[in-house]
Amino acid sequence: MSFRVVCADPPWSFGDKLPGASRGAEKNYSVMSIDDICKFQLPPIDDNAILFMWRVSSQVAEAYRVVAAWGFTPKTEIVWLKRTSGGKRWFGMGRYVRAEHETCIVAVRGRFPVKSKSVRSTFEAQAGRHSEKPEAFYGIVEALADGPYVELFARRQREGWTCLGNEL
């Protein structure tokens, strides 16, 4: 089987040396270098496919390098406006500005018409544990594209999807 829809939240390494037991990616999971992410062995991907890849704000150029290395062409982005459990605006970390959002690059391989033209480029959802993406995101993916679906670097199983990751 080859996949038509690929979601990925690569374990970016960016040398964050934050204090505390759980602050920063490297204290929560194994990370990879940009070169290793570029060389990551993808499962079989259809000639006409769509990629949803989360990036970190401090490595914009590196994320687009990965998209190209994986054989995709960037088309747009989706922005997740994070909220606290009480519904307030998220006040995260950041090197120049405090992050309140995460960005997902949307890229295609070949020709990939989306199912719906009414999906907005931003959505709001409560933040969960470190790097966890909200259910609303997966609803957006499924509204835009029919599978088969694969999630790379997954941290949990998802019904109707093939989930690949060392934390499953």
Side-chain angles (χ1 to χ4, degrees):
M1 167 184 9
S2 65
F3 296 100
R4 295 187 70 238
V5 181
V6 181
C7 286
D9 186 11
W12 307 101
S13 174
F14 47 97
D16 52 351
K17 305 290 185 222
L18 300 169
S22 64
R23 292 181 69 202
E26 295 179 23
K27 294 178 185 167
N28 287 278
Y29 45 79
S30 297
V31 296
M32 296 171 67
S33 70
I34 301 302
D35 287 340
D36 287 342
I37 297 170
C38 284
K39 295 176 197 169
F40 184 79
Q41 182 63 50
L42 298 173
I45 307 294
D46 198 83
D47 291 340
N48 297 299
I50 190 166
L51 169 67
F52 297 87
M53 189 183 79
W54 292 95
R55 65 169 177 82
V56 293
S57 294
S58 64
Q59 295 185 333
V60 177
E62 294 86 345
Y64 281 95
R65 186 174 135 211
V66 171
V67 169
W70 288 1
F72 287 85
T73 302
K75 294 297 181 181
T76 191
E77 294 180 333
I78 296 171
V79 175
W80 167 26
L81 301 172
K82 294 172 124 179
R83 298 293 176 249
T84 66
S85 59
K88 294 183 180 181
R89 292 171 64 178
W90 185 262
F91 194 72
M93 300 179 295
R95 287 173 170 67
Y96 294 93
V97 297
R98 301 297 294 262
E100 122 174 80
H101 74 283
E102 288 193 32
T103 304
C104 179
I105 300 167
V106 181
V108 299
R109 177 185 284 186
R111 295 181 53 85
F112 197 95
V114 294
K115 289 189 325 186
S116 172
K117 300 277 189 192
S118 64
V119 175
R120 294 177 185 259
S121 63
T122 65
F123 71 99
E124 295 183 26
Q126 181 178 327
R129 67 185 178 128
H130 187 89
S131 197
E132 180 181 26
K133 302 307 178 251
E135 284 303 313
F137 166 69
Y138 298 96
I140 290 169
V141 170
E142 291 173 355
L144 287 171
D146 289 325
Y149 303 98
V150 64
E151 183 173 16
L152 309 177
F153 312 105
R155 299 176 81 189
R156 63 187 174 108
Q157 296 292 340
R158 175 168 306 289
E159 188 174 335
W161 290 57
T162 299
C163 297
L164 308 171
N166 64 5
E167 292 189 33
L168 294 174

